Amino acid sequence: MGRSRNTRQTRRGSAAAEAVVEAVDGGLAQLVPDPDRPRAWTLLIDGAPQSHVDLDDPAHLSFEYQRRIGHVIDLAAAPGKPVHAVHLGGGAFTLARYVAATRPRSTQQVVERDATLVQLVRRELPLDSNARIRVRAADARAGLAKVPEGWADLIIADVFSGARTPAHLTSAEFLDEVRRALKPSGVYAANLADGPPLAHLRGQIATAAARFAELALIADPAVLRGKRFGNAVLVASDGPLPLAELTRRAASDPHPGRVEHGRPLTDFTGGALPVTDATAAASPAPPPSVFR
């Protein structure tokens, strides 16, 4: 299905917004207008929500997990200070737009495998021409390998294929590549999705603990208790993490989250072993009820 004429008018402020539906490499993409925000859109792939973008207010983060990553971005450097950021997984470039809005003059690289999706988003939800955002259509791990050693202040992984994180982005060898590209004080944040019995999440924490000195996990308490499927944001660094402020911000969110770190986070892994390229598996598929 193609783009409607009304959709093009919407970018100029028309109230007659219509959804854009197009086939992309990863499935059927839908850009659905937000009824509460005149120039805001939600991107869905095969019915699964991927991103929300407000072209008038790119600092607005609608999705719960993206707000949690937003806290990490806010605390990764002094307020407003430009950073070098790498985004593995592009979607509608929500978090790259957020960095550009909150940290002007930042230099960013977005790696998104779905070249057709990149074209769709660039056309319908264009990036600010002044933003220093380079978008590369490539596999996340292959694109990360091209980032210069020690270049990034911040690396954000939010990669899903068919609502699952690909296996080759879950291993210790992948995190070795993340650490290579990070500055010594750099921060890594990953959007992880899992449900009971949380075997994937426990393994990802054990893997990160084998590669980074400091870890924290931000999640809904119900997800951590294994009561439901959901997202958790893993934060890792070789330098100190702003745990007190992360905890405060997560707790004050419209959907309050809990921050686990230290011994409780180690205990949470339940003795799970680090994942290697040889043992890696994709994250579990969400149950159909998640997107109803």
Side-chain angles (χ1 to χ4, degrees):
M1 296 177 64
R3 170 173 46 86
S4 74
R5 182 177 301 170
N6 283 341
T7 302
R8 181 177 291 278
Q9 292 171 348
T10 300
R11 295 209 303 263
R12 299 200 297 265
S14 167
E18 292 186 10
V20 181
V21 183
E22 289 190 11
V24 295
D25 297 342
L28 189 67
Q30 296 171 275
L31 286 173
V32 179
D34 184 332
D36 300 319
R37 290 176 168 262
R39 298 180 72 233
W41 301 80
T42 299
L43 168 68
L44 301 95
I45 305 291
D46 288 340
Q50 299 288 328
S51 303
H52 179 279
V53 168
D54 188 334
L55 296 177
D56 290 331
D57 182 12
H60 173 77
L61 297 176
S62 179
F63 289 3
E64 173 185 303
Y65 86 87
Q66 290 186 328
R67 288 196 300 275
R68 290 171 181 163
I69 296 177
H71 301 327
V72 177
I73 293 169
D74 292 344
L75 299 171
K81 180 181 178 182
V83 295
H84 288 174
V86 177
H87 303 264
L88 304 178
F93 315 145
T94 303
L95 292 170
R97 297 174 201 264
Y98 181 84
V99 171
T102 60
R103 297 184 176 279
R105 302 181 307 283
S106 291
T107 303
Q108 303 186 73
Q109 298 185 38
V110 177
V111 184
E112 168 58 58
R113 182 173 184 171
D114 194 328
T116 312
L117 176 62
V118 169
Q119 293 173 2
L120 171 65
V121 172
R122 278 190 175 280
R123 186 186 74 226
E124 298 296 336
L125 308 177
L127 290 165
D128 183 342
S129 59
N130 293 319
R132 301 176 182 178
I133 301 173
R134 177 187 179 187
V135 182
R136 176 184 289 131
D139 170 78
R141 190 157 162 179
L144 180 61
K146 296 182 181 300
V147 175
E149 182 172 351
W151 183 84
D153 297 289
L154 185 63
I155 296 178
I156 297 169
D158 185 15
V159 185
F160 287 87
S161 176
R164 304 176 71 184
T165 301
H168 69 296
L169 305 181
T170 68
S171 68
E173 290 89 341
F174 166 68
L175 290 185
D176 286 337
E177 196 62 34
V178 170
R179 290 187 76 240
R180 181 200 63 78
L182 277 174
K183 294 178 181 177
S185 60
V187 178
Y188 172 64
N191 176 31
L192 308 175
D194 200 7
L198 300 177
H200 175 73
L201 185 57
R202 297 181 203 279
Q204 289 301 284
I205 296 166
T207 305
R211 291 299 186 266
F212 287 96
E214 300 291 334
L215 297 182
L217 188 73
I218 315 170
D220 185 310
V223 173
L224 292 176
R225 290 196 299 268
K227 298 295 185 181
R228 67 173 181 85
F229 193 98
N231 296 85
V233 173
L234 176 66
V235 188
S237 179
D238 283 330
L241 293 172
L243 296 171
E245 186 61 16
L246 269 179
T247 299
R248 187 191 70 78
R249 294 188 183 211
S252 62
D253 189 84
H255 296 90
R258 193 168 81 209
V259 176
E260 292 286 8
H261 59 90
R263 182 59 183 270
L265 186 56
T266 301
D267 291 344
F268 176 79
T269 65
L273 297 175
V275 175
T276 66
D277 278 343
T279 62
S283 66
S289 60
V290 168
F291 303 126
R292 287 178 186 166

